[in-house]
Amino acid sequence: MNPITCIIVDDEPLAVKLLESFVQKTPQLQLEHSFTDSVEAFAWLKDHPVSLAFMDIQMPDLNGMELSRMLPEDTKVIFTTAFKEYAFESYEVSAVDFLLKPIRYNKFIAAVEKVERLIGLESKAESAETVQKKTMFIRVDGELRQVNFDHILYVEGMKDYVRFHVEGEPRPLTTHMTMKAVEDTLPTDTFMRINRSYIVRLDKIRTVDRNLCVYIGDEIIRVTDAYREAFENYCSGNC
């Protein structure tokens, strides 16, 4: 794997120097720039994308949480802060890890190794797109999970999140994704959207009643008018 390009953003110069020393003795990292001003960091990043940002949370003008939401999706974030009460919020913005100051090197390197594994999985997922896809990777609780299409019963949309109901999983796999993105990823010969909030695997349907309610897994899902014609055509062609 190529070195992971990174930046440091922290308004405390001593904290920046400590992180710089950690980066310098970590061979898999390549420091591109350090900033004590988050607004300056954001402006620089527009023309200099990196793979990883070590970022303080409590900063003037533009705090770390706000800045993280403005970064490209493929830029990983490790938050650094003296306030542990930010830990939960950091995972809500899909941070890879949360380092509490004063930061020890063993915690630092463990966080970097998480980033390495995540980048490796994403690279594997991208390579898989060159062959016929039978699986997809989704991020669940900060980790990438590989889901086999054959095991998906149905997908349920919930605003900006979706829930994958998968055979053998004790609970649905929830990930930040749109239904449109799921629909574009799943093979159209085996999956069909039957209403605004549900995509089903067609060969997992047990029964369709006279009201066009689909019985699949433990769920009963109604086919709505917008999707009725396509679904009825499928049923007619597979009688």
Side-chain angles (χ1 to χ4, degrees):
M1 181 185 293
N2 294 327
I4 299 169
T5 56
C6 66
I7 61 167
I8 297 166
V9 188
D10 197 309
D11 63 332
E12 299 177 10
L14 289 178
V16 170
K17 287 188 178 297
L18 176 65
L19 287 171
E20 286 177 339
S21 70
F22 286 172
V23 171
Q24 287 169 3
K25 62 181 179 181
T26 307
Q28 57 266 53
L29 295 179
Q30 177 178 311
L31 183 63
E32 298 294 320
H33 213 296
S34 296
F35 300 90
T36 55
D37 185 314
S38 55
V39 175
E40 182 184 341
F42 176 63
W44 184 89
L45 283 166
K46 289 181 180 179
D47 298 317
H48 305 86
V50 296
S51 298
L52 172 62
F54 294 96
M55 192 181 303
D56 190 16
I57 293 179
Q58 197 170 55
M59 295 184 289
D61 298 325
L62 184 65
N63 68 44
M65 291 292 178
E66 293 166 338
L67 178 55
S68 70
R69 293 185 175 97
M70 300 163 70
L71 297 179
E73 188 176 345
D74 56 353
T75 299
K76 310 296 182 287
V77 174
I78 295 176
F79 281 120
T80 62
T81 182
F83 303 96
K84 63 182 179 181
E85 57 265 30
Y86 287 120
F88 179 76
E89 189 178 354
S90 73
Y91 291 110
E92 285 191 328
V93 295
S94 300
V96 175
D97 213 340
F98 175 93
L99 297 176
L100 191 62
K101 297 177 180 179
I103 300 167
R104 298 177 63 86
Y105 184 66
N106 65 320
K107 299 291 186 182
F108 175 90
I109 196 66
V112 171
E113 288 172 351
K114 285 186 181 180
V115 173
E116 280 190 291
R117 290 194 295 271
L118 191 55
I119 290 175
L121 283 171
E122 289 176 344
S123 177
K124 181 180 177 182
E126 289 173 3
S127 297
E129 291 179 357
T130 61
V131 299
Q132 184 178 5
K133 291 188 65 174
K134 295 183 179 179
T135 66
M136 66 185 295
F137 284 87
I138 60 174
R139 183 174 283 111
V140 180
D141 298 329
E143 297 182 345
L144 284 178
R145 292 282 302 273
Q146 185 171 213
V147 179
N148 192 308
F149 293 156
D150 290 343
H151 299 159
I152 298 172
L153 287 169
Y154 59 94
V155 183
E156 176 186 5
M158 304 182 303
K159 293 186 179 180
D160 295 329
Y161 292 83
V162 296
R163 300 172 72 188
F164 285 79
H165 296 259
V166 180
E167 291 175 322
E169 292 288 345
R171 57 183 179 274
L173 304 178
T174 303
T175 188
H176 188 276
M177 198 173 183
T178 65
M179 286 292 279
K180 179 65 167 60
V182 175
E183 195 172 14
D184 289 343
T185 301
L186 295 175
T188 56
D189 59 334
T190 47
F191 288 89
M192 181 179 290
R193 192 165 182 173
I194 60 171
N195 70 42
R196 184 177 179 183
S197 300
Y198 286 92
I199 297 170
V200 300
R201 183 172 173 98
L202 296 166
D203 60 2
K204 302 290 185 181
I205 296 173
R206 297 196 314 276
T207 306
V208 181
D209 68 19
R210 67 181 63 187
N211 297 313
L212 276 190
C213 289
V214 170
Y215 292 69
I216 186 168
D218 297 324
E219 191 73 13
I220 303 173
I221 307 166
R222 184 175 178 81
V223 180
T224 56
D225 290 344
Y227 303 91
R228 183 186 187 100
E229 183 178 355
F231 185 74
E232 287 182 332
N233 287 340
Y234 166 79
C235 292
S236 297
N238 289 273
C239 290

